[in-house]
Amino acid sequence: MTVISILDHAAVLVFALTGALVASRAQLDLIGFGFFACLTGLGGGTLRDLLLDRTPIWIDSPTYLAVACGAAILVFFTAHMLESRYRAILWLDAAALGVAVAAGAGVAQAMGQPGTIILVMGVATGCAGGLMRDVVANEVPLVLKQGELYVTCALVGSLALLFAPIVGAPVASLLCACLTFALRAGSLVWGWSMPTYKPRPPRQD
């Protein structure tokens, strides 16, 4: 199993857990848990693969579907044990973001894509699954919430993959995942954020 395959499996697992937790908050049945887990866990990787003209990971290897469904079953029977499911979603999502960005950017880098495509694939893989999850659940997507560092974390983390020819792909992937998670964690703990647009009254000339 390659480093990218390991990252992809890890991203599917952790994102699927967040999807199943969202299903638990909506009090869905087991099929609903499976739907949200698969949508969230596989959404980003599927978008990446389609854009790069690759066979989607879950079609090429059914183990990804098995991982997502296993996460759904696990959460279905254990979600009630969590003190705050929303807090768990935030932190699991942060961890999944780091791993998924590294996987997405790593796939593009391994295919010899230029730097801009590496960055875009890292962001798309990291953000698409969670975006789909929140839209279907009729919630404000985390990627769009005011004061949340999210897409920025994915973009900055993806930059680490550009150093792969210097430090090696495994090290670059680790740096990518850690940097992405650290920025997202900083946003959750210390409220790090990007400046937002502030409307001003029109000038009176």
Side-chain angles (χ1 to χ4, degrees), residues 7 94-95 97-103 157-158 160-161 171-183:
L7 291 171
L97 179 66
V99 180
V101 168
S158 298
L161 264 295
V171 174
S173 295
L174 179 61
L175 289 174
C176 174
C178 291
L179 181 58
T180 303
F181 175 75
L183 290 174

Side-chain angles (χ1 to χ4, degrees), residues 27-123:
Q27 298 182 341
L28 302 182
D29 60 19
L30 185 56
I31 301 301
F33 273 65
F35 172 78
F36 268 93
C38 290
L39 177 69
T40 313
L42 302 170
T46 299
L47 176 62
R48 173 202 66 201
D49 292 338
L50 292 175
L51 291 174
L52 292 175
D53 198 24
R54 303 170 74 233
T55 302
I57 53 175
W58 55 275
I59 294 177
D60 193 46
S61 177
T63 57
Y64 291 99
L65 273 174
V67 168
C69 292
I73 295 171
L74 175 64
V75 174
F76 186 81
F77 290 105
T78 60
H80 65 280
M81 300 170 62
L82 293 172
E83 182 177 345
S84 172
R85 277 173 280 178
Y86 182 70
R87 196 68 181 166
I89 290 170
L90 288 178
W91 281 102
L92 285 171
D93 188 90
L97 179 66
V99 180
V101 168
V107 166
Q109 192 271 333
M111 294 178 67
Q113 297 289 344
T116 53
I117 303 302
I118 292 174
L119 298 181
V120 170
M121 290 302 106
V123 172

